[in-house]
Amino acid sequence: MYRLPIKALIPGIFLLISSFSQKYPPVKFLSEKDRKRILITGGAGFVGSHLTDKLMMDGHEVTVVDNFFTGRKRNVEHWIGHENFELINHDVVEPLYIEVDQIYHLASPASPPNYMYNPIKTLKTNTIGTLNMLGLAKRVGARLLLASTSEVYGDPEVHPQNEEYWGHVNPIGPRACYDEGERVTETMCFAYLEQEGVEVRVARIFNTFGSRMHMKDGRVVSNFILQALQGEPLTVRPLLLALLLFLSLGNPEEHTILEFAELIRSLVVSRSQIQFLPEGQDDPQRRQPDIRKAKMMLGWEPVVPLEEGLNKTIQYFSRELEHQANNQYIPKPKAARQKKGQPRQHN
Ligand SMILES: O=c1ccn([C@@H]2O[C@H](COP(=O)(O)OP(=O)(O)O[C@H]3OC[C@@H](O)[C@H](O)[C@H]3O)[C@@H](O)[C@H]2O)c(=O)[nH]1
Protein backbone atom coordinates (compact mmCIF):
# COMPACT_ATOMS: atom_id res chain seq x y z
CA MET A 1 0.00 0.00 0.00
CA TYR A 2 1.27 3.46 -0.87
CA ARG A 3 1.85 5.64 2.22
CA LEU A 4 2.27 9.40 2.17
CA PRO A 5 5.21 10.58 4.27
CA ILE A 6 4.01 12.62 7.32
CA LYS A 7 6.05 15.59 6.03
CA ALA A 8 3.87 15.78 2.92
CA LEU A 9 0.73 16.10 5.08
CA ILE A 10 2.00 19.05 7.16
CA PRO A 11 1.06 21.88 4.75
CA GLY A 12 -2.42 20.39 4.43
CA ILE A 13 -2.83 20.20 8.22
CA PHE A 14 -1.74 23.84 8.57
CA LEU A 15 -4.22 24.86 5.90
CA LEU A 16 -6.99 22.99 7.70
CA ILE A 17 -6.14 24.60 11.07
CA SER A 18 -5.96 28.09 9.58
CA SER A 19 -9.26 27.61 7.76
CA PHE A 20 -10.83 26.75 11.13
CA SER A 21 -9.35 29.77 12.88
CA GLN A 22 -10.22 32.09 9.97
CA LYS A 23 -13.84 31.12 10.38
CA TYR A 24 -14.13 33.65 13.21
CA PRO A 25 -12.97 37.25 13.57
CA PRO A 26 -9.65 37.45 15.47
CA VAL A 27 -10.01 37.02 19.24
CA LYS A 28 -7.46 38.11 21.87
CA PHE A 29 -6.25 35.54 24.34
CA LEU A 30 -7.08 36.45 27.95
CA SER A 31 -5.83 34.62 31.01
CA GLU A 32 -8.37 32.94 33.29
CA LYS A 33 -7.98 35.86 35.71
CA ASP A 34 -8.82 38.55 33.12
CA ARG A 35 -11.44 36.66 31.15
CA LYS A 36 -15.00 37.56 32.20
CA ARG A 37 -18.21 35.60 31.71
CA ILE A 38 -20.54 38.18 30.21
CA LEU A 39 -24.28 38.04 29.57
CA ILE A 40 -25.75 40.38 26.94
CA THR A 41 -29.54 40.50 26.91
CA GLY A 42 -30.78 41.68 23.52
CA GLY A 43 -27.35 40.69 22.20
CA ALA A 44 -28.68 39.79 18.73
CA GLY A 45 -30.05 43.29 18.21
CA PHE A 46 -28.46 46.26 16.46
CA VAL A 47 -26.48 47.69 19.41
CA GLY A 48 -26.17 44.36 21.27
CA SER A 49 -24.53 42.56 18.37
CA HIS A 50 -21.82 45.23 18.01
CA LEU A 51 -21.18 44.98 21.75
CA THR A 52 -20.97 41.19 21.35
CA ASP A 53 -18.28 41.66 18.67
CA LYS A 54 -16.25 44.00 20.87
CA LEU A 55 -16.36 41.76 23.96
CA MET A 56 -15.69 38.58 21.97
CA MET A 57 -12.70 40.17 20.20
CA ASP A 58 -11.42 41.35 23.59
CA GLY A 59 -11.29 37.66 24.59
CA HIS A 60 -14.25 37.33 26.98
CA GLU A 61 -16.85 34.55 27.19
CA VAL A 62 -20.12 35.96 25.89
CA THR A 63 -23.61 34.58 26.35
CA VAL A 64 -26.21 36.28 24.17
CA VAL A 65 -29.83 36.05 25.25
CA ASP A 66 -32.50 37.20 22.80
CA ASN A 67 -36.14 36.39 22.07
CA PHE A 68 -35.67 37.57 18.45
CA PHE A 69 -38.55 40.04 18.51
CA THR A 70 -36.33 42.68 16.92
CA GLY A 71 -32.95 40.90 17.16
CA ARG A 72 -31.76 38.51 14.45
CA LYS A 73 -29.56 35.44 14.46
CA ARG A 74 -27.81 36.83 11.36
CA ASN A 75 -26.35 39.65 13.49
CA VAL A 76 -24.27 37.20 15.56
CA GLU A 77 -24.06 34.17 13.26
CA HIS A 78 -20.33 34.79 12.68
CA TRP A 79 -19.70 33.68 16.29
CA ILE A 80 -21.86 30.56 16.35
CA GLY A 81 -19.72 27.55 17.25
CA HIS A 82 -16.91 29.62 18.82
CA GLU A 83 -15.88 28.17 22.17
CA ASN A 84 -16.28 31.54 23.94
CA PHE A 85 -19.77 32.16 22.55
CA GLU A 86 -23.25 30.98 23.40
CA LEU A 87 -26.62 32.03 21.95
CA ILE A 88 -29.78 31.38 23.96
CA ASN A 89 -33.29 31.90 22.61
CA HIS A 90 -34.88 33.20 25.79
CA ASP A 91 -37.28 35.95 26.86
CA VAL A 92 -36.00 37.95 29.84
CA VAL A 93 -39.57 38.07 31.19
CA GLU A 94 -38.82 34.49 32.32
CA PRO A 95 -36.14 34.01 35.01
CA LEU A 96 -32.69 32.88 33.90
CA TYR A 97 -30.28 30.92 36.05
CA ILE A 98 -26.72 31.12 34.80
CA GLU A 99 -23.31 32.04 36.28
CA VAL A 100 -21.86 35.32 35.03
CA ASP A 101 -19.52 38.12 36.12
CA GLN A 102 -21.13 40.97 34.17
CA ILE A 103 -24.53 41.68 32.62
CA TYR A 104 -25.22 44.13 29.81
CA HIS A 105 -28.99 44.49 29.91
CA LEU A 106 -30.15 45.74 26.50
CA ALA A 107 -33.30 43.69 26.00
CA SER A 108 -36.21 45.89 24.94
CA PRO A 109 -37.67 47.03 21.64
CA ALA A 110 -36.27 50.54 21.16
CA SER A 111 -37.89 52.17 18.14
CA PRO A 112 -41.33 53.81 18.52
CA PRO A 113 -43.20 51.48 16.09
CA ASN A 114 -41.65 48.41 17.71
CA TYR A 115 -42.31 49.38 21.32
CA MET A 116 -45.82 50.62 20.50
CA TYR A 117 -46.64 47.39 18.67
CA ASN A 118 -47.41 45.63 21.96
CA PRO A 119 -47.24 48.16 24.83
CA ILE A 120 -48.05 45.59 27.53
CA LYS A 121 -45.21 43.35 26.35
CA THR A 122 -42.87 46.36 26.29
CA LEU A 123 -43.84 47.11 29.89
CA LYS A 124 -43.34 43.47 30.94
CA THR A 125 -39.93 43.34 29.26
CA ASN A 126 -38.82 46.52 30.97
CA THR A 127 -40.25 45.78 34.43
CA ILE A 128 -40.29 41.99 34.95
CA GLY A 129 -37.32 41.49 32.60
CA THR A 130 -35.18 44.02 34.47
CA LEU A 131 -36.21 42.63 37.89
CA ASN A 132 -35.11 39.19 36.68
CA MET A 133 -31.75 40.53 35.52
CA LEU A 134 -31.18 42.51 38.73
CA GLY A 135 -32.14 39.40 40.73
CA LEU A 136 -29.58 37.41 38.74
CA ALA A 137 -26.94 40.12 39.29
CA LYS A 138 -27.63 40.03 43.04
CA ARG A 139 -27.51 36.22 43.24
CA VAL A 140 -24.21 35.79 41.37
CA GLY A 141 -22.59 39.09 42.45
CA ALA A 142 -22.42 40.43 38.87
CA ARG A 143 -22.14 44.06 37.80
CA LEU A 144 -25.06 45.19 35.61
CA LEU A 145 -25.14 47.87 32.93
CA LEU A 146 -28.58 49.05 31.90
CA ALA A 147 -29.01 50.44 28.39
CA SER A 148 -31.57 53.16 29.07
CA THR A 149 -32.79 55.84 26.71
CA SER A 150 -33.03 59.56 26.08
CA GLU A 151 -36.78 58.91 26.17
CA VAL A 152 -36.63 59.10 29.98
CA TYR A 153 -36.54 62.88 29.34
CA GLY A 154 -39.86 62.67 27.42
CA ASP A 155 -40.53 65.94 25.61
CA PRO A 156 -37.76 67.87 27.40
CA GLU A 157 -38.09 71.45 28.61
CA VAL A 158 -34.33 71.77 29.17
CA HIS A 159 -31.68 71.92 26.39
CA PRO A 160 -29.31 70.22 26.06
CA GLN A 161 -30.31 67.37 28.40
CA ASN A 162 -27.85 66.42 31.13
CA GLU A 163 -27.92 63.62 33.72
CA GLU A 164 -29.48 65.86 36.38
CA TYR A 165 -32.63 66.68 34.37
CA TRP A 166 -35.70 64.69 35.59
CA GLY A 167 -37.66 64.80 32.37
CA HIS A 168 -41.13 65.67 31.17
CA VAL A 169 -43.10 62.52 30.35
CA ASN A 170 -46.79 61.97 29.65
CA PRO A 171 -47.50 58.85 31.76
CA ILE A 172 -50.52 57.76 29.72
CA GLY A 173 -49.49 58.77 26.17
CA PRO A 174 -48.63 56.36 23.33
CA ARG A 175 -44.90 56.49 24.17
CA ALA A 176 -45.44 55.88 27.91
CA CYS A 177 -44.94 52.08 27.79
CA TYR A 178 -41.31 52.69 26.84
CA ASP A 179 -40.63 56.08 28.45
CA GLU A 180 -42.12 55.11 31.82
CA GLY A 181 -40.91 51.51 31.42
CA GLU A 182 -37.30 52.70 31.09
CA ARG A 183 -37.72 55.26 33.87
CA VAL A 184 -38.76 52.50 36.28
CA THR A 185 -35.86 50.27 35.12
CA GLU A 186 -33.53 53.06 36.25
CA THR A 187 -35.41 53.26 39.58
CA MET A 188 -35.02 49.50 40.03
CA CYS A 189 -31.28 49.69 39.34
CA PHE A 190 -30.77 52.33 42.00
CA ALA A 191 -33.00 50.42 44.50
CA TYR A 192 -30.85 47.30 44.01
CA LEU A 193 -27.74 49.43 44.45
CA GLU A 194 -29.00 51.07 47.66
CA GLN A 195 -30.67 48.06 49.25
CA GLU A 196 -28.59 45.13 48.01
CA GLY A 197 -25.29 46.70 47.02
CA VAL A 198 -25.55 45.47 43.40
CA GLU A 199 -23.03 47.33 41.23
CA VAL A 200 -25.06 49.10 38.53
CA ARG A 201 -24.32 51.42 35.63
CA VAL A 202 -26.89 53.26 33.50
CA ALA A 203 -26.27 54.63 29.99
CA ARG A 204 -28.97 56.77 28.36
CA ILE A 205 -28.66 56.18 24.64
CA PHE A 206 -29.99 58.82 22.24
CA ASN A 207 -31.29 58.18 18.72
CA THR A 208 -28.89 55.69 17.15
CA PHE A 209 -28.22 54.31 13.69
CA GLY A 210 -25.77 52.01 11.97
CA SER A 211 -25.30 48.62 10.38
CA ARG A 212 -27.45 45.71 11.60
CA MET A 213 -30.50 47.88 12.20
CA HIS A 214 -33.67 46.00 11.41
CA MET A 215 -35.17 46.88 8.01
CA LYS A 216 -38.43 47.56 9.79
CA ASP A 217 -36.83 49.53 12.63
CA GLY A 218 -38.92 52.58 11.75
CA ARG A 219 -36.60 55.23 13.23
CA VAL A 220 -35.87 58.34 11.27
CA VAL A 221 -32.46 57.54 9.74
CA SER A 222 -33.26 53.99 8.64
CA ASN A 223 -36.62 55.15 7.26
CA PHE A 224 -35.00 57.93 5.21
CA ILE A 225 -32.22 55.71 3.90
CA LEU A 226 -34.59 52.95 2.83
CA GLN A 227 -37.01 55.44 1.29
CA ALA A 228 -34.19 57.16 -0.63
CA LEU A 229 -32.76 53.83 -1.85
CA GLN A 230 -36.17 52.66 -3.03
CA GLY A 231 -37.14 55.96 -4.66
CA GLU A 232 -40.05 56.51 -2.25
CA PRO A 233 -40.89 59.88 -0.63
CA LEU A 234 -38.94 60.73 2.55
CA THR A 235 -41.55 61.12 5.32
CA VAL A 236 -40.59 64.22 7.30
CA ARG A 237 -42.23 65.32 10.54
CA PRO A 238 -40.96 68.87 10.98
CA LEU A 239 -39.02 68.72 14.27
CA LEU A 240 -35.53 69.22 15.60
CA LEU A 241 -33.33 66.43 16.75
CA ALA A 242 -29.80 65.61 17.79
CA LEU A 243 -28.53 62.22 16.82
CA LEU A 244 -26.32 59.60 18.22
CA LEU A 245 -23.64 58.44 15.87
CA PHE A 246 -22.81 54.84 15.14
CA LEU A 247 -21.62 53.15 18.32
CA SER A 248 -21.17 56.39 20.18
CA LEU A 249 -23.06 57.56 23.26
CA GLY A 250 -24.62 60.67 21.82
CA ASN A 251 -23.58 63.38 19.44
CA PRO A 252 -24.20 66.95 20.50
CA GLU A 253 -24.64 68.19 16.90
CA GLU A 254 -28.20 69.33 16.33
CA HIS A 255 -29.99 68.93 12.99
CA THR A 256 -33.52 69.47 11.80
CA ILE A 257 -35.33 66.44 10.45
CA LEU A 258 -35.58 68.21 7.08
CA GLU A 259 -31.78 68.76 7.03
CA PHE A 260 -31.35 65.04 7.65
CA ALA A 261 -33.74 64.13 4.88
CA GLU A 262 -31.88 66.39 2.44
CA LEU A 263 -28.46 65.12 3.49
CA ILE A 264 -29.46 61.47 3.20
CA ARG A 265 -31.10 62.08 -0.16
CA SER A 266 -27.91 63.63 -1.51
CA LEU A 267 -25.64 60.91 -0.07
CA VAL A 268 -27.81 58.21 -1.64
CA VAL A 269 -28.02 60.27 -4.86
CA SER A 270 -31.74 59.69 -4.92
CA ARG A 271 -34.55 61.48 -6.72
CA SER A 272 -37.05 60.78 -3.92
CA GLN A 273 -39.49 63.56 -3.05
CA ILE A 274 -39.94 64.94 0.45
CA GLN A 275 -43.35 64.39 1.98
CA PHE A 276 -44.38 66.35 5.08
CA LEU A 277 -46.39 64.42 7.67
CA PRO A 278 -48.25 65.72 10.73
CA GLU A 279 -46.41 65.53 14.05
CA GLY A 280 -46.74 62.27 16.06
CA GLN A 281 -48.52 62.53 19.45
CA ASP A 282 -46.04 63.39 22.27
CA ASP A 283 -43.10 63.44 19.83
CA PRO A 284 -40.21 65.21 21.59
CA GLN A 285 -39.75 68.65 20.02
CA ARG A 286 -36.00 68.77 20.61
CA ARG A 287 -33.34 66.45 21.87
CA GLN A 288 -29.67 67.12 22.38
CA PRO A 289 -27.33 65.24 24.72
CA ASP A 290 -25.06 67.20 27.05
CA ILE A 291 -21.97 64.94 26.90
CA ARG A 292 -19.70 66.98 29.20
CA LYS A 293 -19.95 64.51 32.12
CA ALA A 294 -19.28 61.46 29.89
CA LYS A 295 -16.25 63.26 28.46
CA MET A 296 -14.91 64.25 31.88
CA MET A 297 -15.54 60.95 33.70
CA LEU A 298 -15.09 58.39 30.92
CA GLY A 299 -13.00 60.32 28.42
CA TRP A 300 -15.75 59.51 25.94
CA GLU A 301 -16.68 61.52 22.87
CA PRO A 302 -18.16 60.70 19.46
CA VAL A 303 -15.60 59.33 17.05
CA VAL A 304 -17.55 58.74 13.85
CA PRO A 305 -18.36 61.88 11.85
CA LEU A 306 -21.99 62.15 10.78
CA GLU A 307 -21.51 61.66 7.03
CA GLU A 308 -19.20 58.68 7.55
CA GLY A 309 -21.79 57.04 9.83
CA LEU A 310 -24.55 57.72 7.35
CA ASN A 311 -22.51 56.35 4.42
CA LYS A 312 -21.77 53.13 6.33
CA THR A 313 -25.47 52.75 7.14
CA ILE A 314 -26.42 53.42 3.51
CA GLN A 315 -23.98 50.70 2.36
CA TYR A 316 -25.43 48.30 4.91
CA PHE A 317 -29.03 48.88 3.81
CA SER A 318 -28.09 48.63 0.10
CA ARG A 319 -26.57 45.20 0.80
CA GLU A 320 -29.64 44.18 2.82
CA LEU A 321 -31.98 45.17 -0.01
CA GLU A 322 -29.84 43.15 -2.44
CA HIS A 323 -29.86 40.20 -0.05
CA GLN A 324 -33.65 40.39 0.20
CA ALA A 325 -34.07 40.60 -3.55
CA ASN A 326 -31.85 37.55 -4.06
CA ASN A 327 -33.57 35.50 -1.39
CA GLN A 328 -37.17 36.15 -2.24
CA TYR A 329 -39.46 33.19 -2.42
CA ILE A 330 -41.40 33.54 -5.64
CA PRO A 331 -44.05 30.82 -5.71
CA LYS A 332 -44.58 29.11 -9.05
CA PRO A 333 -48.08 29.58 -10.48
CA LYS A 334 -50.23 26.61 -9.53
CA ALA A 335 -51.62 24.41 -12.29
CA ALA A 336 -55.36 25.03 -12.71
CA ARG A 337 -57.37 22.55 -10.61
CA GLN A 338 -59.65 20.18 -12.35
CA LYS A 339 -63.32 20.72 -11.42
CA LYS A 340 -65.01 17.67 -9.92
CA GLY A 341 -67.21 15.75 -12.25
CA GLN A 342 -65.63 17.21 -15.38
CA PRO A 343 -64.05 14.69 -17.74
CA ARG A 344 -60.27 14.97 -18.14
CA GLN A 345 -59.06 16.45 -21.37
CA HIS A 346 -56.73 14.13 -23.20
CA ASN A 347 -54.47 15.27 -25.95
O1 LIG B 1 -40.08 58.56 9.01
C1 LIG B 1 -39.88 59.31 9.99
C2 LIG B 1 -39.59 58.82 11.29
C3 LIG B 1 -39.39 59.72 12.30
N1 LIG B 1 -39.44 61.07 12.08
C4 LIG B 1 -39.19 62.05 13.15
O2 LIG B 1 -37.84 61.92 13.57
C5 LIG B 1 -37.74 62.16 14.97
C6 LIG B 1 -37.03 61.01 15.59
O3 LIG B 1 -37.90 59.91 15.59
P1 LIG B 1 -37.43 58.40 15.64
O4 LIG B 1 -38.57 57.57 15.19
O5 LIG B 1 -36.14 58.23 14.94
O6 LIG B 1 -37.19 58.04 17.17
P2 LIG B 1 -37.17 58.91 18.51
O7 LIG B 1 -36.06 59.92 18.44
O8 LIG B 1 -38.53 59.44 18.77
O9 LIG B 1 -36.84 57.82 19.60
C7 LIG B 1 -35.69 57.01 19.42
O10 LIG B 1 -34.53 57.73 19.74
C8 LIG B 1 -34.16 57.85 21.04
C9 LIG B 1 -33.90 56.49 21.59
O11 LIG B 1 -33.48 56.57 22.92
C10 LIG B 1 -35.14 55.68 21.51
O12 LIG B 1 -34.87 54.36 21.87
C11 LIG B 1 -35.80 55.70 20.18
O13 LIG B 1 -37.12 55.32 20.37
C12 LIG B 1 -39.15 62.36 15.48
O14 LIG B 1 -39.37 63.74 15.60
C13 LIG B 1 -40.03 61.78 14.40
O15 LIG B 1 -41.29 62.40 14.29
C14 LIG B 1 -39.69 61.56 10.80
O16 LIG B 1 -39.72 62.77 10.56
N2 LIG B 1 -39.91 60.67 9.79
Side-chain angles (χ1 to χ4, degrees):
M1 194 172 76
Y2 176 73
R3 285 175 192 222
L4 264 182
I6 290 284
K7 255 190 181 170
L9 291 176
I10 288 173
I13 292 169
F14 268 114
L15 215 94
L16 200 67
I17 292 171
S18 69
S19 77
F20 279 140
S21 55
Q22 274 166 15
K23 194 177 149 197
Y24 301 106
V27 165
K28 255 191 232 161
F29 174 77
L30 283 185
S31 68
E32 191 84 1
K33 179 172 72 64
D34 297 323
R35 194 165 60 230
K36 300 270 181 280
R37 297 163 304 173
I38 302 176
L39 166 65
I40 308 179
T41 72
F46 151 51
V47 176
S49 62
H50 285 287
L51 181 62
T52 299
D53 285 357
K54 164 86 178 105
L55 296 171
M56 280 295 295
M57 290 197 274
D58 284 350
H60 298 290
E61 286 173 24
V62 177
T63 300
V64 162
V65 157
D66 211 298
N67 70 350
F68 301 107
F69 174 54
T70 54
R72 282 167 309 165
K73 224 179 244 179
R74 270 183 72 206
N75 289 345
V76 287
E77 69 183 355
H78 46 287
W79 294 115
I80 291 175
H82 193 286
E83 60 178 321
N84 287 354
F85 180 75
E86 198 173 347
L87 177 62
I88 307 178
N89 186 338
H90 173 88
D91 191 324
V92 288
V93 166
E94 303 298 330
L96 181 70
Y97 298 97
I98 57 172
E99 299 300 317
V100 284
D101 305 307
Q102 293 182 357
I103 301 170
Y104 287 85
H105 182 37
L106 276 65
S108 173
S111 78
N114 286 331
Y115 66 64
M116 288 182 201
Y117 171 74
N118 186 344
I120 297 174
K121 179 70 182 171
T122 301
L123 280 163
K124 283 186 182 171
T125 304
N126 279 296
T127 53
I128 304 170
T130 303
L131 279 176
N132 282 337
M133 289 309 114
L134 283 163
L136 173 66
K138 178 188 151 192
R139 184 174 67 80
V140 299
R143 182 199 285 174
L144 180 142
L145 178 131
L146 171 75
S148 183
T149 167
S150 55
E151 299 226 19
V152 297
Y153 300 125
D155 186 5
E157 297 149 307
V158 167
H159 301 282
Q161 294 84 49
N162 67 24
E163 293 78 358
E164 276 66 50
Y165 178 49
W166 291 357
H168 177 230
V169 173
N170 173 2
I172 53 167
R175 305 175 77 104
C177 59
Y178 185 60
D179 297 11
E180 296 290 17
E182 290 283 1
R183 283 169 73 88
V184 80
T185 60
E186 293 196 8
T187 311
M188 288 171 183
C189 284
F190 287 92
Y192 269 77
L193 166 74
E194 288 300 319
Q195 196 178 320
E196 305 290 347
V198 173
E199 258 195 274
V200 291
R201 307 279 188 274
V202 173
R204 291 178 183 155
I205 305 177
F206 281 63
N207 201 318
T208 320
F209 63 88
S211 61
R212 302 194 189 150
M213 275 182 109
H214 201 288
M215 294 282 264
K216 295 215 167 88
D217 181 88
R219 267 174 284 191
V220 65
V221 175
S222 57
N223 272 6
F224 287 174
I225 293 178
L226 282 169
Q227 289 161 344
L229 286 170
Q230 295 175 304
E232 289 166 6
L234 273 60
T235 49
V236 171
R237 298 196 194 102
L239 295 173
L240 284 172
L241 150 110
L243 278 168
L244 171 93
L245 291 191
F246 175 63
L247 283 191
S248 312
L249 256 178
N251 194 308
E253 279 177 55
E254 199 175 39
H255 298 272
T256 65
I257 299 293
L258 181 59
E259 277 165 17
F260 252 99
E262 280 163 351
L263 176 60
I264 289 172
R265 201 168 52 161
S266 74
L267 293 175
V268 172
V269 196
S270 162
R271 278 198 237 143
S272 287
Q273 305 286 312
I274 296 218
Q275 179 189 0
F276 289 95
L277 297 184
E279 227 173 75
Q281 192 192 334
D282 295 343
D283 253 11
Q285 299 296 306
R286 257 180 106 177
R287 264 208 221 113
Q288 189 182 19
D290 178 345
I291 63 164
R292 280 175 301 178
K293 199 166 178 181
K295 203 168 174 178
M296 197 176 68
M297 294 181 69
L298 309 170
W300 178 88
E301 58 187 326
V303 287
V304 183
L306 177 63
E307 287 200 15
E308 189 186 322
L310 285 174
N311 275 326
K312 280 187 179 167
T313 317
I314 291 167
Q315 280 166 23
Y316 172 76
F317 278 117
S318 313
R319 283 197 306 270
E320 281 296 285
L321 285 174
E322 234 169 80
H323 176 86
Q324 266 193 359
N326 294 336
N327 288 283
Q328 255 176 35
Y329 169 66
I330 303 167
K332 285 195 190 114
K334 269 190 185 164
R337 275 181 63 186
Q338 206 77 46
K339 273 197 183 154
K340 271 188 190 162
Q342 273 184 0
R344 273 174 190 269
Q345 302 270 317
H346 292 287
N347 293 330

